[in-house]
Amino acid sequence: MNFEGTAVAMVTPFNEDLTIDEEGFRQNINWLIDQGVDGLVGVGTTGESATLNHEEHHKVIDILIDEVDGRVTTFAGTGSNATSEALSLTKYAEDAGADFALVITPYYNKPQQHGVIEHFRQLNDNCDIDIVAYNVPSRTGLDMAPETIVELAKMDNITALKEASSDVDKASKTMRLLRQNQLEDDIVVLSGSDELTLPLMSIGAKGVISASANIDPRRMVLMVNSILDGQMDKALDLHYEMYDLIKALFMESSPAPAKEALKMMGMPAGPLRLPLVPMLDENREHLRKVLIEAGIIE
C-alpha cells in the first residue's frame, strides 16, 4: 500500500484520573477527518505511547479503527525497544484491521545497524501489515543510515519511512540511494519533522506524519496538497504561516504543548502522564499568543 498526503500523529486524550478519554478521542478523530486529513495515527510518540500499557495500547488502536471506519488511512503505533513486544503489537494492529503499523527504531538498546535491519526483518517476515519504519534519533539515540533504509526497502512489507532526523542532506542521500537501487517505488518517504515538511517534499518525500496538525490540520493539508500539485509558491506561503506555531508546539517535550493548545481550543486533551508535566507558565503564554496570531483561538 502507498500513502501520500497528511497523516496526524494524534494525542491520546485522558480523563482527569488519567484513564483514556474514549469519547474525547472519537471527537478528535471526527474533527480531524472533517478538516480533510488523509490519515490518522494512534499511539505514536505524540499519543504518549511510552506511558500506555499494552491493554491501553490495544484499546486506542481499536477505538481508532472503529471510529475511522475506513474513511481515512489508519496507522497504529506498534514500536518497542524489544523486538518481541514490537512483533506482538504489530500482529495486534494487523488483526485489528489497521492499514499501517508505525514502528519506531528500537530505543535505549542502541543496536548496530544490522541489528536494526534484523529487528524490522522479524516484523516483515512474521506479519502481513504494511509497516512504516520510523527514524527519530532525537528520541531514540539511534539514527538509521541511508544504507540501512535501502535494506528495509527491499522487504515486502516495509513500504514507508517516517524520517525525523532533521537532516535534509541525509534525507537527500537516502532518496538518491533508493533511486540508484531502483527502490524509490518500494518505499514512500514521509516527513516526521513538521518544520521540514516542505524541504523534504521538495526532494522527493510524499507527505507528512504531523503532530502540529492536531492543532492546525487544514493548513498542513493545504500545504502538502499544494506541493503534490506543484504549487510551490502557495506551499511556501503556508510553510511560513505555520512556522511560528510549529516551533511553539515543540518548545517543550511533545505532546505537552499540543495538549495545552487543544485545551485552549476547547478540544479534548486532558492531562499528561508522568514523567511529562504541564508547560511552564511563560511558555504557555507564548503558545497562547502564537495561537491567537495564527487565528486559531481568540
Side-chain angles (χ1 to χ4, degrees):
M1 177 184 294
N2 289 326
F3 176 84
E4 64 177 38
T6 302
V8 185
M10 293 186 68
V11 304
T12 303
F14 295 131
N15 299 304
E16 289 306 312
D17 64 358
L18 295 178
T19 57
I20 294 168
D21 177 5
E22 178 174 344
E23 182 179 343
F25 188 45
R26 290 180 184 273
Q27 180 180 329
N28 288 349
I29 288 168
N30 287 306
W31 182 72
L32 288 168
I33 292 174
D34 288 344
Q35 300 303 302
V37 305
D38 304 293
L40 296 173
V41 181
V43 275
T45 304
T46 310
E48 297 178 75
S49 56
T51 67
L52 272 64
N53 62 39
H54 284 192
E55 181 180 346
E56 293 171 321
H57 207 114
H58 295 168
K59 180 177 181 179
V60 172
I61 293 171
D62 288 339
I63 296 169
L64 175 70
I65 294 165
D66 177 66
E67 192 63 33
V68 167
D69 193 26
R71 290 177 290 169
V72 297
T73 302
T74 52
F75 300 76
T78 63
S80 173
N81 64 324
T83 302
S84 58
E85 288 191 3
L87 178 58
S88 174
L89 290 169
T90 303
K91 284 183 173 180
Y92 186 89
E94 179 184 341
D95 292 341
D99 295 308
F100 285 88
L102 176 65
V103 181
I104 198 167
T105 55
Y107 44 87
Y108 191 77
N109 311 67
K110 295 184 73 171
Q112 302 297 105
Q113 293 292 313
H114 57 279
V116 175
I117 293 169
E118 186 57 32
H119 174 82
F120 280 100
R121 192 187 310 281
Q122 288 295 315
L123 305 184
N124 177 81
D125 292 352
N126 291 285
C127 300
D128 289 326
I129 190 172
D130 285 278
I131 294 171
V132 183
Y134 180 14
N135 187 49
V136 55
S138 64
R139 290 273 187 173
T140 64
L142 169 70
D143 190 9
M144 280 198 292
E147 295 78 9
T148 298
I149 294 165
V150 167
E151 291 305 309
L152 299 189
K154 295 175 183 177
M155 300 179 192
D156 291 340
N157 296 323
I158 313 295
T159 57
L161 167 72
K162 180 182 178 184
E163 179 56 78
S165 70
S166 297
D167 185 342
V168 179
D169 181 56
K170 182 222 168 185
S172 291
K173 292 176 182 176
T174 297
M175 285 188 254
R176 181 186 181 200
L177 206 53
L178 290 169
R179 284 171 175 252
Q180 290 174 339
N181 286 272
Q182 299 182 331
L183 292 167
E184 68 270 25
D185 294 330
D186 294 309
I187 189 165
V188 171
V189 179
L190 303 170
S191 172
S193 299
D194 287 14
E195 72 277 14
L196 292 181
T197 299
L198 186 147
L200 286 177
M201 291 188 71
S202 75
I203 59 171
K206 297 299 184 183
V208 62
I209 296 179
S210 168
S212 69
N214 281 283
I215 312 306
D216 193 3
R218 192 170 292 278
R219 262 185 285 215
M220 183 62 76
V221 168
L222 188 56
M223 184 187 75
V224 168
N225 289 349
S226 296
I227 300 169
L228 292 172
D229 292 339
Q231 300 176 39
M232 292 303 294
D233 288 343
K234 182 177 181 180
L236 189 61
D237 288 342
L238 289 160
H239 167 77
Y240 285 118
E241 281 182 28
M242 293 187 292
Y243 187 78
D244 286 346
L245 175 60
I246 290 171
K247 300 304 285 188
L249 288 170
F250 290 93
M251 71 173 76
E252 293 190 16
S253 294
S254 180
K259 279 199 160 182
E260 192 62 49
L262 285 170
K263 291 178 191 176
M264 293 178 188
M265 294 164 64
M267 299 284 290
L272 299 153
R273 285 186 177 181
L274 286 168
L276 295 181
V277 291
M279 294 182 73
L280 297 171
D281 289 343
E282 58 266 33
N283 289 342
R284 183 184 298 109
E285 288 311 305
H286 174 71
L287 176 61
R288 183 183 299 278
K289 179 183 176 183
V290 172
L291 288 169
I292 292 171
E293 291 173 349
I296 293 172
I297 63 172
E298 297 181 352

